[in-house]
Amino acid sequence: MLGFAPAPGRPLFVLFGSSIVQFSFSNGGWGAALADIYARKADILLRGYIGWNSRRALQVIDKIFPKDSPVQPSLVIVYFGGNDSVAAHSSGLGPHVPLEEYIDNMRKIADHLKSLSEKTRVIFLSCPPLNEETLRKSTSTVLSEIVRTNETCRLYSEACVSLCKEMDLKVVDLWNAMQKRDDWATACFTDGLHLSEEGSKIVVEEILRILKEAEWDPCLHWKAMPTEFVEDSPYDLVSSSGQSTVNPSDWTFHRTIQWD
């Protein structure tokens, strides 16, 4: 049993999914951006597993999110679908999960997460598009042929979005959000599949939009959450007058993007 041990009183956000989650702290990734945005407001915990599909996630969800844990997450952001959508291999091996089973698996994952506590909120990320040509060029020769297409990504994305509407879950429709950029195919990926910094910016924007608009109590948008240890202190930097100090707790000048 893994469980969680965040700082006392600080909300816990868990990122759960496959490589798009595992890599989210690399190369200007969206997980790292959230960790910066929520500094001194919430703990961002990474539970990412490269290559995993919804079937494998379901096998261990009780270990990753035990129902008897004394601390339960305030928010879980979930991404599975890209590996599920890979075409079936003739050997029967590999990550492919048929669409109907994928939907059922994601429903079970959602049910489990919603049962953790009355205050646990869930956001699903749907399958993003991909650059098929770039992906073919970047795939390692160590691997057997991996057939990934935009068409199957679309099908699995739409299935995820539809399931979330059915279950009244929040969802980021990455398939459509990414393609709002004219240059999405070249700008949003490092290898045709995994997200670049530009692609991650879209994920962050969409997550923050949902958190701002959601009628959740308490609100989990960063601007609505208290900053930890925000009290003025004589140990803060001295102001230009020399008579007082300046509290820097909520400064954001270091960010190249001033997130909403």
Side-chain angles (χ1 to χ4, degrees), residues 40 227-239 244-253:
R40 297 175 63 172
T227 301
E228 190 176 49
F229 303 128
V230 74
E231 302 81 7
D232 293 336
S233 169
Y235 305 118
D236 285 334
L237 297 172
V238 180
S239 69
S244 62
T245 58
V246 178
N247 189 330
S249 298
D250 289 316
W251 286 358
T252 62
F253 72 88

Side-chain angles (χ1 to χ4, degrees), residues 146-173:
I146 301 173
V147 179
R148 295 179 185 263
T149 69
N150 260 328
E151 176 60 17
T152 54
C153 288
R154 180 186 66 81
L155 293 173
Y156 280 69
S157 176
E158 290 179 353
C160 179
V161 172
S162 295
L163 175 65
C164 289
K165 290 180 180 178
E166 173 194 324
M167 300 186 70
D168 194 25
L169 287 174
K170 303 298 182 183
V171 61
V172 174
D173 181 355

Side-chain angles (χ1 to χ4, degrees), residues 72 107 180:
Q72 295 294 355
R107 178 182 286 109
K180 290 178 181 178

Side-chain angles (χ1 to χ4, degrees), residues 18-24 27 30 49-52 79-87 95 125-140 143 146-154 156 174-175 178 184-200 202-203:
S18 55
S19 56
I20 283 179
V21 173
Q22 182 173 328
F23 297 168
S24 68
N27 305 317
W30 60 275
Y49 305 90
I50 182 173
W52 279 33
Y79 171 73
F80 291 101
N83 295 314
D84 299 68
S85 72
V86 171
L125 309 180
S126 81
C127 194
L130 52 82
N131 184 323
E132 294 181 26
E133 181 180 358
T134 302
L135 182 60
R136 279 193 296 270
K137 294 177 181 178
S138 65
T139 300
S140 172
L143 301 173
I146 301 173
V147 179
R148 295 179 185 263
T149 69
N150 260 328
E151 176 60 17
T152 54
C153 288
R154 180 186 66 81
Y156 280 69
L174 286 180
W175 168 262
M178 292 281 180
W184 67 268
T186 54
C188 291
F189 309 104
T190 59
D191 56 4
L193 172 67
H194 298 105
L195 301 181
S196 66
E197 185 171 358
E198 291 300 308
S200 281
I202 295 171
V203 179

